[in-house]
Amino acid sequence: MNGSALTAPPPGRASAAMQRGLVAAALIAAIFALDTFTVLGSAIAVLYVLPLLLIGSGSRSGAIFPWSGVCAALTLVSFFWNHVPEPGLSPVARMVVSLAANAVTTLLILRVRHAFATLRASATRHREVVDKLAIGLWENDFSPVEQALAALRATGVADLRRHIAAHPQFVAEMRRLVRIANVNETALRLLEVPSRRMFFPRLGDLMPENEASFGELLLALDERRPFFQTEARVHTRSGGMLDVIIAIGIPADGPLDRVTASILDVSERNRLATTVEKMRAQLDRAQRATILAQMSAAIAHEINQPLSAVRSYAEACSRWLDRPQPDLAEAQDALQMVVKAVDHVHAVIGSVRELTGSARHEFTGLAPDDLVAGMEPLLQRDAAEHCGRVSFRLGASNATIRGDAILIQQVIVNLVTNSFQAMAETDACDRVVTIASGIKGDQLLLSVSDRGTGWSEAALDQLLEPFQTTKIDGMGLGLAICRSAIDKHGGTLTMRNLPGGGAVAEIRLPLVEAAHGSIPESSCPGSEAVGHSPQLRTPTSSGALQSRNGPMDPKHLLASSMVPHPSTAGGSAAFQWIRS
């Protein structure tokens, strides 16, 4: 196809232009004959503006010049034919007027044609902009709806909202009355319509019957709200459904025959929101599974020590009974310790469950020194198993805290166990864990220190985080559980290295009642070598070890299965007591 064919006008338009040319030529011939062969005393040549206007109404701007030139030439021919060689003033004036009319008409036609071309170009640009918008646009004719609402009001309906709610068929009828007059390309693409002629003729064809948002639109039209917006679902030409936001600007007055509605496709957004919601639900399930796994690991971690104590006491009972002369009293004591250890297992499981859940803990007033002193049976096995000693320096005898005794005791047990494990490479004579208490202002300071190698700076930063451990076979839950338990008491747990070697875990808890004054210098954790203090209580002449509650028989401090520390008096005690 050549270039001329591409620029050639359509056949219909070419035929109309040819008809206008023939009519204009006939008019020009008639006017020339009338002006040349008659003796009328008027400016007949002025009538040449008629064919010029006819030609200018349909032809291109450049086509007017030949026709204007022909009309001007015929005007001059008529003048010379009738008035030369003796032209008068009146014929000359009529000729000048005719030529001026011809020139002015030509200029006006050119200006009008230019104005129309500019307007057409502007409309084309506007159409292109509208068609390329990211939102779909169409024009609605709400005038039949306006008339129906006015007629409904005339029948005495005052509460339109109640009427719409009671008559859903009325809403469906109003929806079918709305005509769609025009639409842009984006709306065609969104709704999968091939052309404007095939677009939905009525709003009722576009929206499903059960779409409730149209009822609110009727109220907005009745009240002439300036703006209406809603989220709805509309049909596509292929039969699918599209989630859209519909926004309509309603004029404050005047007819409602051309009200523009805009639609924004939010189907992808809704799909993403649904996907995110599903992923969130899956993540919640995964988190719950992780919490359950952590809780299971925590319970296993926490009950490992009391279960080992149960085994130790059971083995001790068995040995007492296997002797040539069974010592039933000692066996009964060991069995009682087994019962206490099992009870402690139950208490630990309950406390861990409450710690990991939202259950309320039973916080009561506690004397911290008495609480620590009551932990002797729990610490006996660890002290003997690691061939170590536990030293107590308790200086908060008059203090009171509020808390859960089981949780606090389990924290101390975990810290003591970690301390002994940290001294695995330390000489047996130096495997001493010191539990100290004192008052610092309005807080109880409770510390557990050891004489191990301490921690590296990198390990200290993450030591209290879950699943962070420095042990090969560790789970990394003990210290994290300890911190959670102390947090629930409104306190803090910190870990640091001691200047002279070893490490200390410091627990700070708010006091309910405390003795006035600060911790004596001798009771500060790590400030004194345990076992070398002049305040050490030595065994009495009767063989009993002096404790904070009076003389104690060594057999009630240690089960017979425990390994005695070589430095203890008589080789039977692994505990030392210091009172501040």
Side-chain angles (χ1 to χ4, degrees):
M1 185 178 292
N2 54 32
S4 60
L6 288 173
T7 58
R13 184 176 300 178
S15 177
M18 183 177 297
Q19 291 177 1
R20 284 194 298 270
L22 292 176
V23 173
L27 283 174
I28 291 173
I31 294 170
F32 178 76
L34 186 63
D35 188 29
T36 304
F37 302 110
T38 63
V39 292
L40 297 177
S42 58
I44 301 297
V46 174
L47 296 178
Y48 283 121
V49 300
L50 297 177
L52 292 179
L53 292 174
L54 182 62
I55 293 297
S57 64
S59 62
R60 298 186 301 275
S61 298
I64 194 67
F65 288 107
W67 291 93
S68 179
V70 169
C71 292
L74 292 177
T75 300
L76 294 174
V77 169
S78 297
F79 174 77
F80 284 107
W81 181 274
N82 292 319
H83 303 291
V84 175
E86 297 179 356
L89 181 60
S90 178
V92 172
R94 290 196 299 272
M95 181 193 66
V96 172
V97 169
S98 299
L99 293 176
N102 185 311
V104 170
T105 301
T106 302
L107 291 176
L108 289 176
I109 290 174
L110 291 175
R111 179 167 296 183
V112 170
R113 298 282 303 197
H114 177 71
F116 273 110
T118 302
L119 182 62
R120 187 180 296 108
S122 176
T124 301
R125 286 195 301 271
H126 176 72
R127 168 59 68 181
E128 291 176 352
V129 170
V130 170
D131 284 340
K132 293 178 181 179
L133 287 176
I135 59 175
L137 298 174
W138 66 65
E139 290 182 345
N140 299 278
D141 182 6
F142 287 111
S143 53
V145 175
E146 183 182 21
Q147 297 170 5
L149 292 176
L152 184 64
R153 290 290 191 184
T155 61
V157 175
D159 192 342
L160 183 58
R161 183 179 296 275
R162 179 177 298 179
H163 181 82
I164 290 174
H167 302 83
Q169 71 279 5
F170 173 78
V171 178
E173 293 174 1
M174 294 299 100
R175 189 188 297 112
R176 287 191 289 269
L177 288 178
V178 181
R179 293 190 295 269
I180 298 178
N182 200 359
V183 64
N184 72 341
E185 291 289 342
T186 305
L188 295 176
R189 185 176 64 257
L190 289 177
L191 300 177
E192 302 175 6
V193 181
S195 65
R196 289 183 172 86
R197 290 185 178 182
M198 299 180 64
F199 198 76
F200 301 92
R202 302 276 178 175
L203 194 61
D205 302 327
L206 181 63
M207 304 182 72
E209 289 293 329
N210 58 353
E211 180 57 53
S213 60
F214 188 77
E216 191 63 30
L217 175 58
L218 291 179
L219 295 174
L221 292 172
D222 183 66
E223 299 168 5
R224 288 295 182 114
R225 300 177 195 169
F227 183 75
F228 173 79
Q229 179 174 310
T230 186
E231 187 167 344
R233 304 197 74 197
V234 296
H235 292 291
T236 62
R237 180 59 72 181
S238 62
M241 298 297 295
L242 196 67
D243 296 332
V244 297
I245 293 177
I246 301 178
I248 299 177
I250 302 174
D253 51 19
L256 299 177
D257 57 341
R258 301 190 70 177
V259 179
T260 302
S262 59
I263 60 170
L264 178 64
D265 182 13
V266 293
S267 299
E268 189 63 26
R269 185 202 68 177
N270 291 349
R271 280 194 292 269
L272 288 175
T274 302
T275 303
V276 169
E277 192 63 29
K278 291 180 179 178
M279 293 179 64
R280 184 179 292 113
Q282 294 175 357
L283 180 60
D284 290 341
R285 288 194 293 270
Q287 287 177 340
R288 286 194 293 269
T290 302
I291 291 173
L292 289 175
Q294 291 178 356
M295 183 176 178
S296 301
I299 293 175
H301 180 276
E302 295 301 316
I303 68 175
N304 181 59
Q305 184 189 22
L307 288 179
S308 298
V310 168
R311 180 174 180 175
S312 296
Y313 291 130
E315 290 176 349
C317 177
S318 177
R319 282 194 293 270
W320 285 117
L321 294 176
D322 286 342
R323 299 179 65 177
Q325 293 182 352
D327 192 334
L328 298 181
E330 293 292 348
Q332 185 176 6
D333 289 343
L335 289 176
Q336 289 177 354
M337 298 303 294
V338 170
V339 173
K340 291 182 179 179
V342 172
D343 291 339
H344 185 69
V345 170
H346 290 298
V348 168
I349 292 175
S351 296
V352 171
R353 180 181 59 82
E354 293 174 354
L355 184 63
T356 56
S358 58
R360 295 171 60 94
H361 296 277
E362 294 184 3
F363 283 12
T364 58
L366 302 173
D369 284 5
D370 293 339
L371 183 68
V372 174
M375 298 176 61
E376 294 176 14
L378 296 177
L379 301 177
Q380 288 173 4
R381 188 191 62 83
D382 270 358
E385 190 176 85
H386 294 89
C387 297
R389 289 177 290 153
V390 176
S391 175
F392 293 84
R393 292 192 298 171
L394 306 180
S397 58
N398 297 326
T400 303
I401 60 173
R402 287 189 61 81
D404 186 302
I406 296 296
L407 285 180
I408 295 177
Q409 286 181 338
Q410 197 60 32
V411 168
I412 296 174
V413 168
N414 277 334
L415 296 178
V416 170
T417 301
N418 286 346
S419 296
F420 277 124
Q421 291 174 350
M423 295 187 292
E425 304 298 328
T426 304
D427 187 83
C429 296
D430 292 328
R431 293 177 192 169
V432 180
V433 174
T434 303
I435 302 177
S437 66
I439 300 170
K440 284 285 189 179
D442 59 350
Q443 290 183 321
L444 167 72
L445 176 59
L446 188 63
S447 66
V448 177
S449 58
D450 62 61
R451 299 179 180 180
T453 57
W455 294 288
S456 65
E457 293 298 326
L460 275 174
D461 295 337
Q462 299 180 342
L463 202 58
L464 299 178
E465 298 297 325
F467 303 107
Q468 299 295 326
T469 181
T470 58
K471 295 178 289 187
I472 298 176
D473 57 347
M475 291 186 292
L477 288 172
L479 292 178
I481 294 173
C482 291
R483 184 180 66 173
S484 297
I486 298 303
D487 288 345
K488 285 186 177 292
H489 289 77
T492 60
L493 172 62
T494 57
M495 318 293 290
R496 63 182 177 87
N497 290 323
L498 293 174
V504 60
E506 294 180 335
I507 300 171
R508 296 177 184 269
L509 296 171
L511 292 174
V512 176
E513 297 177 3
H516 296 289
S518 60
I519 303 177
E521 189 67 26
S522 61
S523 66
C524 294
S527 63
E528 182 177 350
V530 179
H532 302 281
S533 170
Q535 294 175 295
L536 176 63
R537 301 293 180 90
T538 58
T540 64
S541 58
S542 62
L545 192 65
Q546 187 75 16
S547 74
R548 67 189 306 272
N549 296 321
M552 297 186 68
D553 194 312
K555 70 180 180 180
H556 295 299
L557 285 176
L558 296 174
S560 62
S561 62
M562 301 178 69
V563 180
H565 194 278
S567 65
T568 57
S572 61
F575 289 86
Q576 294 177 339
W577 287 87
I578 296 177
R579 290 297 302 269
S580 298

